[in-house]
């Protein structure tokens, strides 16, 4: 049983913004896989909702003439995984989306909700951080672009101002062209579980496929928000691949700040960071043509 006072079905993004202005305590609902769970648990009992679920302007995945990939926030995990655009440009994002929950959740849950819930364990978050994605939001004052590096403000907190709605997730061409990537979700079960640690690694190899020209490494559940490992990236640029695989994990320990929870201790997560970073880099390099 869901204790919901009212649901307003927005007719457009502008209508959704107006509805939020008219009722500042109302919450946005899209796929509902996060919000409805909280309602059922009583955390949002008696809430009022503004539904954006049926807005076509927030759906679809395209590649612009300049190569940028634009993802509508209402794209489900399944949409992302099976998108021909994603498979041709950033397949690692589709692979990450395919680790979320089970088939039912992936058919209903949206990538926009996964980003807006502000949770560090969100399965697409670390890959979007590694890709330096841009979040386009719209509100009463118009549109603005927020770099994902400025998006996560704390546990469950993101840079959405009052009455704003996420309208686009943008992956700039330069952030994925020439890179191959790999995402590892470590959890206590193989399916239907929240990540104990998530690691996403992108690598651009030298022409002879023997050296790391550039690398991007990002984590989920290695701190209160999804985070880049800039120290680790700097430590392995220009190294032979095998050496980079050995060094990236220990170097990443300077960047992370995991905590102890009922899922795992801080010490265990630190060990996972050290081990899985190298594995993610090795597999990303292999996808790029490296012989390992």
């Amino acid at each position: 049983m869901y204790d919901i006072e009212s649901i307003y079905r927005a007719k457009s993004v502008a209508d959704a913004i107006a509805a939020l202005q008219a009722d500042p305590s109302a919450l946005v609902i899209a796929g509902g896989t996060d919000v409805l769970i909280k309602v059922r648990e009583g955390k949002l009992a008696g809430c009022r909702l503004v539904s954006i679920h049926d807005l076509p302007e927030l759906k679809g995945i395209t590649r612009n003439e300049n190569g940028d990939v634009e993802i509508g926030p209402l794209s489900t995990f399944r949409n992302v995984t099976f998108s021909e655009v994603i498979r041709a440009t950033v397949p690692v994002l589709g692979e990450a989306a395919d680790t979320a929950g089970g088939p039912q959740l992936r058919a209903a849950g949206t990538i926009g909700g996964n980003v807006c819930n502000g949770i560090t364990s969100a399965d697409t978050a670390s890959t979007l951080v590694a890709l330096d994605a841009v979040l386009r939001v719209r509100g009463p004052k118009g549109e603005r672009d927020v770099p994902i590096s400025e998006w996560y403000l704390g546990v469950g907190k993101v840079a959405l101002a009052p009455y704003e709605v996420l309208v686009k997730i943008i992956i700039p061409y330069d952030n994925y062209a020439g890179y191959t990537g790999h995402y590892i979700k470590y959890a206590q079960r193989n399916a239907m579980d929240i990540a104990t640690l998530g690691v996403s690694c992108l690598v651009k190899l030298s022409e002879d496929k023997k050296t790391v020209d550039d690398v991007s490494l990002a984590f989920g559940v290695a701190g209160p928000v999804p985070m880049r490992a800039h120290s680790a990236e700097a430590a392995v640029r220009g190294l032979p691949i095998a050496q980079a695989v050995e060094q990236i994990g220990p170097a990443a320990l300077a960047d992370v700040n995991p905590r102890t929870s009922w899922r795992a201790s801080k010490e265990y997560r630190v060990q996972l960071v050290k081990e899985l970073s190298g594995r993610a880099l090795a597999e990303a390099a292999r996808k790029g043509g490296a012989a390992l």
Side-chain angles (χ1 to χ4, degrees), residues 169-185:
I169 299 170
I170 303 166
I171 303 173
Y173 174 78
D174 289 343
N175 295 2
Y176 73 81
Y179 291 84
T180 49
H182 189 65
Y183 173 71
I184 298 175
K185 176 180 181 176

Side-chain angles (χ1 to χ4, degrees), residues 6-66:
S6 66
I7 301 179
Y8 177 75
R9 295 179 65 180
K11 302 173 184 64
S12 65
V13 172
D15 188 38
I17 293 168
L20 293 171
Q21 287 181 287
D23 185 0
S25 64
L27 302 173
V28 172
I29 184 171
T33 56
D34 287 322
V35 171
L36 292 180
I37 289 174
K38 292 179 181 178
V39 172
R40 187 177 61 189
E41 291 175 344
K43 297 176 182 178
L44 298 175
C47 64
R48 295 183 296 278
L49 303 175
V50 174
S51 174
I52 59 172
H53 182 267
D54 295 321
L55 301 184
E57 59 193 298
L58 298 182
K59 299 180 180 181
I61 301 171
T62 59
R63 178 164 45 173
N64 289 346
E65 291 183 1
N66 64 3

Side-chain angles (χ1 to χ4, degrees), residues 16-281:
I17 293 168
L20 293 171
Q21 287 181 287
D23 185 0
S25 64
L27 302 173
V28 172
I29 184 171
T33 56
D34 287 322
V35 171
L36 292 180
I37 289 174
K38 292 179 181 178
V39 172
R40 187 177 61 189
E41 291 175 344
K43 297 176 182 178
L44 298 175
C47 64
R48 295 183 296 278
L49 303 175
V50 174
S51 174
I52 59 172
H53 182 267
D54 295 321
L55 301 184
E57 59 193 298
L58 298 182
K59 299 180 180 181
I61 301 171
T62 59
R63 178 164 45 173
N64 289 346
E65 291 183 1
N66 64 3
D68 291 356
V69 175
E70 295 193 351
I71 304 171
L74 291 187
S75 300
T76 64
F77 295 113
R78 180 179 172 83
N79 292 153
V80 174
T81 297
F82 290 98
S83 164
E84 292 301 323
V85 171
I86 295 297
R87 288 180 169 182
T89 56
V90 283
V92 62
L93 181 59
E95 294 162 8
D98 202 38
T99 68
Q104 296 92 338
L105 182 140
R106 294 194 292 272
T110 65
I111 190 171
N114 209 222
V115 168
C116 288
N117 66 16
I119 303 302
T120 185
S121 59
D123 286 303
T124 61
S126 54
T127 299
L128 290 172
V129 169
L131 287 163
D132 251 345
V134 176
L135 292 306
R136 180 165 295 162
V137 300
R138 188 183 305 164
K141 297 180 181 179
E143 288 189 348
R144 64 189 182 98
D145 287 351
V146 183
I148 201 164
S149 60
E150 301 173 9
W151 180 255
Y152 295 98
L153 304 180
V155 178
K157 298 179 181 179
V158 296
L160 275 173
Y163 321 126
E164 284 187 331
V165 176
L166 177 65
V167 296
K168 197 80 70 177
I169 299 170
I170 303 166
I171 303 173
Y173 174 78
D174 289 343
N175 295 2
Y176 73 81
Y179 291 84
T180 49
H182 189 65
Y183 173 71
I184 298 175
K185 176 180 181 176
Y186 186 92
Q188 296 180 29
R189 298 179 299 183
N190 290 331
M192 303 283 287
D193 203 0
I194 296 172
T196 302
L197 189 82
V199 183
S200 192
C201 186
L202 306 174
V203 64
K204 180 184 285 187
L205 302 177
S206 60
E207 188 173 347
D208 62 6
K209 309 297 183 183
K210 294 182 179 180
T211 303
V212 173
D213 267 3
D214 195 24
V215 65
S216 178
L217 182 69
F219 296 98
V221 211
V225 298
M227 59 179 61
R228 281 279 293 273
H230 293 291
S231 298
E233 295 168 1
V236 301
R237 287 191 184 100
L239 293 183
I241 296 168
Q243 187 177 347
V245 167
E246 290 181 1
Q247 295 188 15
I248 194 168
L253 299 182
D255 299 297
V256 300
N257 184 30
R259 67 180 180 87
T260 295
S261 72
W262 69 269
R263 293 184 180 277
S265 67
K266 174 179 180 178
E267 292 75 15
Y268 188 52
R269 286 194 169 101
V270 165
Q271 180 60 30
L272 289 176
V273 167
K274 186 177 178 181
E275 176 65 27
L276 297 184
S277 299
R279 292 189 190 183
L281 174 57

